[in-house]
Amino acid sequence: MTRIRILSEDVANRIAAGEVVERPASVVKELLENALDAGARSVRVEVEGGGRQLIRVTDDGCGMSHDDALLAFERHATSKLRSADDLMAIATLGFRGEALPSIASVSRLLLETRSAEEEQGTRVEIAGGKLIGVKPAAHPTGTTVSIGDLFYCVPARRKFLKSDTTELGHIASVVTHYALAHPGKRIELRTPSQEILSASPVETLAERVYQVFGRQALDELIDVPATSGPIRANITEAQLEAGDEKLAMTVSGYISRPEVQRPNRNAIYIFINRRLVRDRLLLHALTEAYRNVQPPGVFPAALLFLDLPPEEVDVNVHPSKIEVRFRHQQFVHDFTRDALRQALSRARPIAAFPAAAAAAPSASSGAALDAGSQAADPSATGGVAPPAPFYGLGAASRSFGTGSAVPPSDEFSLSNAPWRPEALRFGFPAEGPAPAGDEFGAQFRAAVHKDEYDPPPSAANGDQISNLKPLGQVNASYIVAVNSAGLWIVDQHVAHERVLFEQHLQARRAGSVAGQRLLVPLVVELSPRQLVIAEQIAEELSANGFEVSPMGARAVAIQAAPAPVSAPDVERLLREILDAVERENQAISIETLQAKIAASTACHAAIKVNTPLDPPRMEWLLGELAKTECPMSCPHGRPVVLRYSVREIEKAFKRT
Ligand SMILES: Nc1ncnc2c1ncn2[C@@H]1O[C@H](COP(=O)(O)OP(=O)(O)OP(=O)(O)O)[C@@H](O)[C@H]1O
Ligand SMILES: [Mg+2]
């Protein structure tokens, strides 16, 4: 007698279902994707008991004929693929023909549907994978799928479900993200007692972000205008201009201002061809874009859309379709990085006083976001969960500027409670109340209704930092200055650091940086590992103005160093560079190495704090800063300037 037995089809069905249907949110994801694939313009998701008791998704898509409605529950039955070749260029969200049978095998399912061609609709009832009945039914063109008693026949899986609130949080996160990916569609999520999301169709992503997260979110974001380029190296401009879509990719979306610093990657959402994915390549491109703008160990927030020809992406690599593979990886990576860098440097985002108050990573809520699915941990903040404006971007409180205890605005925060009804009642368009007490809502709606909507002020900073007139220093460390944009405080050390960093890097890229000979060579003892590193990067050191030669078995002699660094700082500079390379485990690109050397050199050469400066020097420094590409943060990512805008001043004095 053998102990091994072949599983019955029924059991095999359930095992596969385990992969596709992990929790209620996976059901919502599959049904929502089906509705979008069916061309729906409006999708309503209703949920009871965290999705355990009921999930109902209603769409106004193409619907199914009587025969299709039955076929849809066969394994590997799909209308979206015909041949293996089609797998190479998947343009729909679904393609496996797995979702409906998998869901049907672990729940009580009711499908009601009608295609435009048929007068009579169809109603199919299935329980635990068994067909209970098929009847004609009245239904408008489109489809309603109702899932009751999820996992009723798979107790083990049911046991693993978290509280209703947590499961609803996951569902809200899924629906929210699809809503962001499809601004032109009406998307709703409700429970019997709450309308969690109700987003009417809008034209732009900016409007959708506003509907979903509120105005403050937009203030914290930088627009990444649609940037298109070739999909691989050997495509000519002429081919692109000829408008062949198969050759082009586009990056667009929103990324956060550098001062918005998150402790993890949970506020980063990447959509490839409108599909939400986890992708390490693009996460890396994003991190690269923020290099020397944000300190290491913190992360931006992002809503990133990459659109490229379907044959350039393989989506058939993960059972829940959450990972993808690119045909031209390096190209996609570099193109995305450059588009984001451009957006960052074009926007030159400047920290406002209040934002800066929340900029320190320690000040951001720290509450794990996990795609918006976890409730806040109030204990982490001494009992009160800090509100966060944009799926927990930062615990930005807008009270700093007014100096009074203005309560922070209580807008949508996935990190705190993604499903809070009061946080998500958008009141948009005109019928509802304006979101969280701001007059911007009214202006915004008025503008939208007049079809005059301009993206909100996030990208409007431009060159506002120019023409700064210094008034004096605070503590001999911070320059106070004014211009027509408002009142500014500039950290003199980091401002100078930014200036020197860009100058040094530019000089290095143009050729070699001039070194300055030391009067007496400096002998520096190094560890064996550091000696090896010094040897490995010797060429780059010398291109940066260093002259370093071995001196016995344990030391090097420094004969020359980058010009602006004074002798007492030279040893520390070299050690810092070697340490930085050591930390990177030597897998460091030449670009990163150059940036690190430039950053360290700039830091050691820059004016220190506690240094009195006369007005011409202050003026010079502010002028040089205005010329930099990225005046808002130092090469290590700390803020350089704070601005108290005229509008904020007026507001604080209650003049608006
Ligand atoms: N809401 C809907 N409107 C119209 N047709 C639908 C809808 N949902 C499902 N269908 C039809 O049923 C088929 C099976 O759906 P199912 O979700 O099981 O598979 P799929 O979407 O093709 O692939 P995947 O398993 O990757 O989701 C679809 O290919 C589609 O033809
Ligand atoms: Mg599907």
Side-chain angles (χ1 to χ4, degrees), residues 30-31 33-35 37-38 59 62-64 68 72 77-80 93-101 143 145 321:
E30 294 296 340
L31 298 181
E33 290 189 349
N34 279 348
D37 279 345
D59 70 58
C62 63
M64 286 177 259
D68 279 348
T78 177
S79 59
K80 302 170 192 178
L93 294 163
F95 54 88
R96 306 156 306 183
E98 289 262 9
L100 284 183
T143 303
V145 184
K321 302 181 275 190

Side-chain angles (χ1 to χ4, degrees), residues 207-229:
E207 292 163 86
R208 186 49 56 97
V209 170
Y210 176 80
Q211 285 180 316
V212 175
F213 298 117
R215 185 234 160 148
Q216 202 173 335
L218 281 169
D219 278 352
E220 296 190 335
L221 295 173
I222 294 167
D223 182 22
V224 181
T227 315
S228 297

